[in-house]
């Protein structure tokens, strides 16, 4: 591509994106606004309550609850990252978002996603140690180890997503600027670029395989070890009691990974669906 062509593309490159509500149901956004606000309020209240209760109750100062605090913090971060634009679209029909604001939002959304994924792995490790080595649980997971795990999880989330803003910023957007959601995602914005996005695709694929794939495998291995230990327990009552401690964590895993994988599949194979009309 010649320098003149690149210059011309840079002149017409969009500096704003258009957000939408539920595809095909934009005229009903006002009906979704109030339930969405209630859902956000409950999410904020629930996570803040978890943090407050664990802070004031000394008996909850255990590794499992410390990891739960980390999960609540990451969930709050993810909620706060998506809330401004979603409420703006549904409440005020404010659909335009500047390019830099969109890039910032996608950075925080993806960062908190990977932090949350890392915390779920840490919680699986915690449950594995608690069930397999109950007498050595506190010695194997002292507070210093929990702090180090938290730092590693947070640092990994930042490092994995750090290149994303630069990979998006370099792309020209000279065709459609209508996104598929009411918030910004890397894979969504990337599809609107009128330039070669192979670097973005390869980096995203590498991140998914090396990070998400590793997280899922680690969780599966942890639960295989847990099941082996639980099945070796003699009494049925003790077996059920051990498994009950994992129910909340398994629910959190399903709630987190199923939408995340579903969104990824929709963006990867969604090209067969009819395009969204411009606003």
């Amino acid at each position: 591509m010649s320098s003149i062509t690149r210059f011309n593309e840079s002149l017409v490159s969009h500096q704003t994106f258009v957000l939408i509500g539920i595809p095909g149901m934009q005229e009903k956004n006002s009906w979704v606004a109030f339930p969405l606000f209630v859902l956000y309020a409950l999410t904020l209240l629930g996570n803040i309550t978890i943090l407050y209760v664990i802070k004031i109750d000394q008996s909850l100062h255990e590794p499992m609850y410390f990891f739960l605090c980390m999960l609540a913090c990451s969930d709050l971060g993810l909620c706060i990252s998506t809330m401004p634009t979603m409420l703006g679209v549904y409440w005020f029909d404010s659909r335009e978002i500047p390019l830099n604001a969109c890039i910032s939002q996608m950075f925080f959304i993806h960062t908190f996603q990977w932090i949350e994924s890392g915390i779920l792995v840490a919680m699986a490790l915690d449950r594995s140690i608690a069930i397999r080595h109950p007498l050595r649980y506190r010695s194997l997971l002292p507070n210093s180890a929990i702090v180090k795990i938290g730092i590693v999880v947070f640092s990994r989330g930042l490092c994995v997503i750090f290149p994303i803003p630069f990979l998006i910023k370099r792309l020209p957007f000279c065709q459609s600027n209508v996104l598929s959601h009411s918030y910004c995602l890397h894979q969504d914005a990337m599809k609107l670029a009128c330039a070669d996005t192979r670097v973005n695709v390869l980096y995203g694929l590498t991140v998914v395989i090396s990070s998400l794939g590793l997280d899922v495998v680690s969780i599966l291995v942890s639960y295989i070890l847990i099941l082996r230990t639980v099945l070796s327990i003699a009494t049925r009552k003790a077996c059920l009691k051990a498994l009950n401690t994992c129910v909340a964590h398994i629910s959190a895993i399903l709630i987190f990974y199923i939408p995340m994988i579903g969104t990824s599949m929709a963006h990867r194979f969604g090209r067969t669906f009819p395009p969204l009309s411009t606003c």
Side-chain angles (χ1 to χ4, degrees), residues 67-113:
F67 287 127
L68 184 59
C69 280
M70 296 181 194
L71 190 65
C73 288
S74 66
D75 201 32
L76 281 172
L78 196 57
C79 179
I80 293 171
S81 298
T82 58
M83 182 166 50
T85 55
M86 290 192 73
L87 293 182
V89 169
Y90 288 105
W91 276 99
F92 308 108
D93 199 32
S94 176
R95 301 187 181 188
E96 289 194 354
I97 180 172
L99 176 62
N100 290 333
C102 185
I103 292 174
S104 298
Q105 185 184 47
M106 75 173 65
F107 172 78
F108 285 109
I109 289 175
H110 290 304
T111 297
F112 283 115
Q113 279 183 330

Side-chain angles (χ1 to χ4, degrees), residues 179-248:
L179 297 174
S180 304
H181 304 282
S182 49
Y183 47 83
C184 296
L185 296 175
H186 170 249
Q187 60 268 36
D188 194 13
M190 177 185 67
K191 293 194 301 183
L192 301 180
C194 51
D196 189 358
T197 60
R198 281 180 294 182
V199 174
N200 298 65
V201 172
L202 289 174
Y203 184 76
L205 188 61
T206 301
V207 167
V208 169
I209 293 174
S210 62
S211 297
L212 182 60
L214 182 62
D215 289 353
V216 172
V217 169
S218 299
I219 292 173
L220 287 175
V221 170
S222 296
Y223 273 95
I224 289 172
L225 295 175
I226 288 172
L227 285 175
R228 287 183 57 187
T229 303
V230 168
L231 293 176
S232 66
I233 297 176
T235 64
R236 178 183 176 86
K237 183 177 180 180
C239 179
L240 292 175
K241 184 178 179 181
L243 287 176
N244 282 338
T245 64
C246 301
V247 171

Side-chain angles (χ1 to χ4, degrees), residues 245-259:
T245 64
C246 301
V247 171
H249 181 241
I250 294 173
S251 300
I253 290 172
L254 295 176
I255 291 171
F256 176 77
Y257 283 112
I258 290 177

Side-chain angles (χ1 to χ4, degrees), residues 15-239:
Q15 293 304 306
T16 60
F17 285 114
V18 177
L19 304 170
I20 65 169
I22 301 174
M25 298 179 60
Q26 288 87 340
E27 69 281 358
K28 298 183 179 180
N29 281 351
S30 58
W31 291 93
V32 183
F34 183 72
L36 181 66
F37 175 77
V38 172
L39 181 62
Y40 268 119
L42 291 175
T43 301
L44 293 173
L45 180 62
N47 284 296
I48 292 172
T49 302
I50 289 173
L51 294 173
Y52 177 74
V53 170
I54 294 176
K55 178 183 177 181
I56 64 174
D57 192 340
Q58 294 293 328
S59 65
L60 299 181
H61 291 184
E62 297 288 334
M64 178 176 67
Y65 296 103
F66 290 144
F67 287 127
L68 184 59
C69 280
M70 296 181 194
L71 190 65
C73 288
S74 66
D75 201 32
L76 281 172
L78 196 57
C79 179
I80 293 171
S81 298
T82 58
M83 182 166 50
T85 55
M86 290 192 73
L87 293 182
V89 169
Y90 288 105
W91 276 99
F92 308 108
D93 199 32
S94 176
R95 301 187 181 188
E96 289 194 354
I97 180 172
L99 176 62
N100 290 333
C102 185
I103 292 174
S104 298
Q105 185 184 47
M106 75 173 65
F107 172 78
F108 285 109
I109 289 175
H110 290 304
T111 297
F112 283 115
Q113 279 183 330
W114 291 116
I115 289 174
E116 194 159 334
S117 180
I119 294 170
L120 290 173
V121 174
M123 294 177 75
L125 174 65
D126 168 75
R127 291 297 83 209
S128 177
I129 294 175
I131 292 175
R132 299 180 66 231
H133 307 286
L135 299 179
R136 301 172 55 199
Y137 177 52
R138 287 298 289 152
S139 62
L140 292 174
L141 277 179
N143 291 343
S144 59
I146 296 170
V147 171
K148 291 177 182 177
I149 291 173
I151 293 173
V152 169
V153 169
F154 184 80
S155 300
R156 189 197 71 157
L158 284 177
C159 293
V160 165
I161 303 302
F162 183 76
I164 293 295
F166 302 100
L167 292 176
I168 284 291
K169 187 71 174 177
R170 70 185 180 88
L171 296 174
F173 299 93
C174 50
Q175 300 177 11
S176 173
N177 65 336
V178 181
L179 297 174
S180 304
H181 304 282
S182 49
Y183 47 83
C184 296
L185 296 175
H186 170 249
Q187 60 268 36
D188 194 13
M190 177 185 67
K191 293 194 301 183
L192 301 180
C194 51
D196 189 358
T197 60
R198 281 180 294 182
V199 174
N200 298 65
V201 172
L202 289 174
Y203 184 76
L205 188 61
T206 301
V207 167
V208 169
I209 293 174
S210 62
S211 297
L212 182 60
L214 182 62
D215 289 353
V216 172
V217 169
S218 299
I219 292 173
L220 287 175
V221 170
S222 296
Y223 273 95
I224 289 172
L225 295 175
I226 288 172
L227 285 175
R228 287 183 57 187
T229 303
V230 168
L231 293 176
S232 66
I233 297 176
T235 64
R236 178 183 176 86
K237 183 177 180 180
C239 179

